[in-house]
Amino acid sequence: RRSSDLIGEHTDYNQGFVLPMALPLVTVMVGSRSYDGFISITTISKEADEPRAVTFAVPRDRCPLTPGEPRWANYVKGVIQYYRAGPVPGFNAVIVSDIPLGGGLSSSASLEVATYTFLQQLCPDDGDLVSKALACQKAEHTFAAMPCGIMDQFISVMGKIGR
């Protein structure tokens, strides 16, 4: 689910008031578990930086994931690194989204939440929505170096159409 805010641009992380709303746009990650110790992810977004396919080793205690290129993959890697259940297994996945990148519609938060939701299917966590949003925010802070507030992740996790 994606969001827009009527008021609140750049104010959620400055302790201002915000009023986000859900939009009928989505980001979906689909795939399956693999048993080779690697994670392979492809985005079909033509707006994403190259390469649009990445493969990296499953994170371990002594070998955590680190940010790098392409930039879009850092949002995914951060969520994998901070996923609250696990260990995260290897998997192959494709990302599909109808949210324009860089259009002010929180495409990064949508990608993070889609990634987290996919991981919940592979190795379920406790289902706490606030913790899910906070883990996605932490991923954006540390792996994408974007000091965002929590509004985008919260509305992406908790927004409901018609409410």
Side-chain angles (χ1 to χ4, degrees):
R1 209 165 291 351
R2 210 29 281 132
S3 70
S4 181
D5 50 309
L6 297 177
I7 62 171
E9 196 66 30
H10 303 291
T11 61
D12 69 317
Y13 51 86
N14 289 308
Q15 303 191 9
F17 294 105
V18 296
L19 182 58
M21 63 181 187
L23 297 175
L25 301 171
V26 297
T27 299
V28 177
M29 180 181 274
V30 296
S32 62
R33 182 183 303 253
S34 68
Y35 297 92
D36 61 1
F38 288 92
I39 295 171
S40 295
I41 304 167
T42 301
T43 178
I44 64 163
S45 172
K46 293 183 171 128
E47 300 166 317
D49 55 320
E50 295 281 349
R52 294 195 183 106
V54 295
T55 299
F56 48 89
V58 170
R60 298 288 176 236
D61 288 337
R62 294 186 180 170
C63 191
L65 297 179
T66 57
E69 296 292 329
R71 293 180 313 274
W72 67 266
N74 291 330
Y75 298 94
V76 176
K77 286 180 175 180
V79 173
I80 294 167
Q81 186 63 44
Y82 298 121
Y83 184 64
R84 298 176 325 100
V88 173
F91 63 86
N92 301 308
V94 175
I95 300 164
V96 179
S97 182
D98 62 355
I99 302 170
L101 303 184
L105 297 177
S106 310
S107 59
S108 60
S110 183
L111 175 56
E112 293 154 5
V113 171
T115 301
Y116 198 104
T117 302
F118 176 79
L119 295 176
Q120 287 176 301
Q121 306 313 303
L122 293 179
C123 47
D125 67 352
D126 62 9
D128 182 77
L129 297 178
V130 172
S131 295
K132 179 177 183 175
L134 289 169
C136 291
Q137 180 195 35
K138 183 176 182 180
E140 189 153 347
H141 285 182
T142 58
F143 273 69
M146 180 60 64
C148 62
I150 193 65
M151 178 188 67
D152 293 346
Q153 288 81 8
F154 261 50
I155 189 64
S156 293
V157 169
M158 297 181 220
K160 298 197 185 313
I161 295 197
R163 292 180 144 187

